[in-house]
Amino acid sequence: MDYKEVIAFLYNQLPVFHREGKKAFKPGLGNIQQLCERLGNPQDSFKALHIAGTNGKGSSSHFMASILQEHGFRVGLYTSPHLKSFTERIKINGQNVAEDWVVQFVEKNLQLIQDIKPSFFEWTVLMAFSYFKDQQVDWAVIETGLGGRLDSTNIILPKACLITNISWDHQDILGDTLELIAEEKAGIIKQGVPICISERQSFSEQIFQKKAEELNAPIVFAEDKIQWISYTNLQEQLQLQGKSSQYETFEVSSPYAGEYQVKNIAGILAWCEQIQSEGIIPLQWDKILIGIEKSKINTQLHGRWELIQKNPWIVADTGHNESGISQLLSQVKRLNQGDLWIILGMVADKDIHLVLKLFPKEAHYIFCQAQNPRALTSENLQKMALEHELVGFCENDVNKAIEMAKHSAKENDFILITGSTYLVAEINV
């Protein structure tokens, strides 16, 4: 098989969450434990850092990988989902796993698929662990998929853990209260392993404290270590000035200009202080700041406040749940000086109305539909939006929708593309 045939085979043979939703989710760690045991437990061959959370865990994973790269380490990075290519999920020092390696791994281990019948996500986790073992990484930054407790990545024994925040997402799997979701995320906390929390939230603070105490895991909350003095949005980056519990005042810039990164960066900085003070990695403050500033160059993350053009502004962002969309729209409101055009697409198994109620009634809407079986049809999205007095028309193709908005928008208008990772993935830039 060639690469395209292998990816098609995996999509066809294995349950794929980003296409099928909940029915593709296989709870429990039994499958991934069997898979790893059959291949000699590759997850035990490298040192790992583990990151969970509702929003921000992808950005935080890329920030940390970049920081470690700036310290001269060979760094594996596992994240999901991908935007353009499956190989984005598995990287070493910012370079995607080679297509040839993916082909060889699948062909060599076809019997494992037949014997264990894993989910697509379980298989990609095994693939990442095996690649990091083969390539002898110094460190691997591992992002959870769903939740934490029963997530396939949770068979690792990391040196330190980070939980970014808790918000509404995947309630059908993780629980129908924020407390239940927090308990699932807290499942990555391990015996004696330091844990940092990026965002202190009243409903989850005690859950994390209790779990950490039970497991004798040192815990810090980022706001106790990092205080922001100011931050400035400069279209294509954020400039931040803050105070640290260890380093007094400092300045750092983020190549991702979404203001939700302020909390993610505080979490990463506090985590780095914790990792250093616990003697896990001898991190240097100047290299930590450089790692954040160079993260887009070092790790190639896209789809987070992605500025496609100016005059009018066109920004794409993978925000897709209540918290992410709320923060995104707040920033757009502050920056927009003209009319607002929103190109929107969502997946059907989200709490659509919870998100739609956040959008401004005065904006112009174009409703889209990603080429994904989970995508909500643009017509149904249009009908649901109308219940919230959001008026617009349908154009399934996001690129045609962008051209339509550009044709109608004035120079000082703002065009936002959001609502689904899969919609943003289809943008041709």
Side-chain angles (χ1 to χ4, degrees):
M1 292 186 286
D2 63 19
Y3 172 74
K4 288 184 178 179
E5 289 170 336
V6 162
I7 295 301
F9 168 78
L10 293 178
Y11 279 148
N12 291 330
Q13 293 293 314
L14 308 179
V16 183
F17 183 85
H18 77 258
R19 292 184 175 213
E20 301 175 33
K22 184 178 180 179
K23 64 182 179 181
F25 179 64
K26 295 192 173 185
L29 302 178
N31 275 0
I32 190 64
Q33 287 169 341
Q34 288 184 64
L35 290 166
C36 286
E37 284 171 7
R38 289 275 291 269
L39 293 189
N41 287 312
Q43 77 279 9
D44 296 337
S45 67
F46 51 82
K47 293 175 288 188
L49 302 174
H50 206 189
I51 300 179
T54 303
N55 295 310
K57 62 183 186 291
S59 298
S60 298
S61 297
H62 284 77
F63 283 137
M64 180 53 79
S66 178
I67 288 166
L68 294 176
Q69 284 174 230
E70 287 299 316
H71 283 81
F73 294 114
R74 184 168 172 79
V75 186
L77 175 62
Y78 175 72
T79 58
S80 63
H82 60 269
L83 277 182
K84 299 292 186 182
S85 168
F86 169 83
T87 58
E88 294 169 27
R89 294 171 179 243
I90 305 170
K91 299 182 179 186
I92 295 178
N93 284 15
Q95 298 298 309
N96 295 1
V97 60
E99 292 180 357
D100 287 348
W101 190 94
V102 174
V103 172
Q104 292 166 14
F105 182 83
V106 172
E107 289 185 335
K108 184 179 178 182
N109 295 290
L110 283 173
Q111 191 61 46
L112 263 183
I113 294 176
Q114 300 301 322
D115 292 348
I116 297 176
K117 298 179 174 57
S119 70
F120 182 86
F121 185 76
E122 288 167 337
W123 187 256
T124 61
V125 169
L126 174 70
M127 192 179 294
F129 292 169
S130 299
Y131 186 61
F132 297 156
K133 178 182 178 180
D134 279 1
Q135 298 296 310
Q136 297 181 315
V137 299
D138 300 311
W139 285 93
V141 179
I142 308 294
E143 177 198 16
T144 60
L146 281 175
R149 182 175 64 94
L150 299 177
D151 189 80
S152 299
T153 64
N154 205 30
I155 64 165
I156 63 173
L157 181 57
K159 299 296 184 181
C161 298
L162 175 76
I163 298 175
T164 56
N165 63 25
I166 305 300
S167 184
W168 293 109
D169 210 6
H170 303 297
Q171 294 96 299
D172 55 339
I173 295 172
L174 301 181
D176 57 6
T177 69
L178 291 171
E179 288 80 5
L180 286 174
I181 295 172
E183 286 177 7
E184 288 298 314
K185 307 284 185 184
I188 70 165
I189 301 174
K190 304 287 193 304
Q191 182 74 41
V193 175
I195 172 72
C196 179
I197 312 297
S198 294
E199 186 177 344
R200 177 180 269 120
Q201 297 168 286
S202 58
F203 58 84
S204 63
E205 181 176 1
Q206 292 304 313
I207 292 169
F208 295 145
Q209 288 274 19
K210 181 181 177 185
K211 185 74 170 180
E213 287 172 11
E214 288 173 357
L215 296 172
N216 197 28
I219 183 170
V220 300
F221 288 84
E223 69 179 55
D224 295 335
K225 301 293 181 180
I226 306 294
Q227 287 83 44
W228 294 119
I229 298 167
S230 65
Y231 65 86
T232 307
N233 189 301
L234 300 176
Q235 294 189 355
E236 294 180 71
Q237 64 175 11
L238 282 177
Q239 285 193 343
L240 306 101
Q241 184 179 36
K243 293 190 297 183
S244 158
S245 62
Q246 293 184 22
Y247 295 97
E248 306 224 346
T249 58
F250 63 89
E251 292 183 357
V252 64
S253 65
S254 163
Y256 308 108
E259 290 172 10
Y260 51 79
Q261 299 292 4
V262 172
K263 292 177 181 176
N264 294 334
I265 293 169
I268 285 295
L269 291 175
W271 197 27
C272 285
E273 282 195 359
Q274 183 188 35
I275 285 170
Q276 183 190 34
S277 65
E278 294 285 345
I280 297 167
I281 311 173
L283 298 175
Q284 299 173 35
W285 189 249
D286 59 336
K287 291 182 179 179
I288 292 169
L289 301 182
I290 292 169
I292 291 171
E293 292 170 6
K294 291 177 64 177
S295 57
K296 195 166 189 176
I297 296 169
N298 286 346
T299 65
Q300 301 294 310
L301 175 64
H302 293 282
R304 274 63 169 184
W305 193 269
E306 190 94 27
L307 184 61
I308 296 172
Q309 77 164 52
K310 303 174 185 176
N311 303 319
W313 275 35
I314 303 179
V315 169
D317 194 283
T318 55
H320 58 272
N321 54 37
E322 182 189 28
S323 176
I325 292 291
S326 177
Q327 294 177 74
L328 183 62
L329 291 173
S330 176
Q331 181 171 354
V332 170
K333 185 177 181 179
R334 283 195 297 277
L335 295 176
N336 181 32
Q337 296 179 347
D339 287 348
L340 176 59
W341 301 77
I342 296 179
I343 298 170
L344 186 64
M346 301 185 73
V347 296
D349 52 12
K350 298 287 183 182
D351 191 337
I352 307 295
H353 288 292
L354 191 67
V355 174
L356 286 176
K357 70 180 184 181
L358 302 171
F359 284 94
K361 296 178 176 59
E362 65 274 11
H364 307 280
Y365 288 89
I366 305 177
F367 302 104
C368 293
Q369 181 179 337
Q371 296 176 21
N372 182 295
R374 286 174 61 210
L376 183 66
T377 67
S378 55
E379 291 81 9
N380 282 343
L381 180 56
Q382 182 188 38
K383 289 176 184 176
M384 296 172 79
L386 197 56
E387 295 179 40
H388 299 269
E389 301 177 50
L390 310 179
V391 179
F393 60 91
C394 296
E395 169 49 64
N396 284 354
D397 187 300
V398 67
N399 293 292
K400 290 181 180 177
I402 292 169
E403 289 305 312
M404 289 176 177
K406 284 168 65 175
H407 180 74
S408 301
K410 302 181 293 295
E411 274 199 5
N412 67 335
D413 287 354
F414 198 111
I415 300 169
L416 174 66
I417 309 129
T418 194
S420 164
T421 299
Y422 313 116
L423 185 74
V424 172
E426 292 177 8
I427 299 172
N428 296 327
V429 289

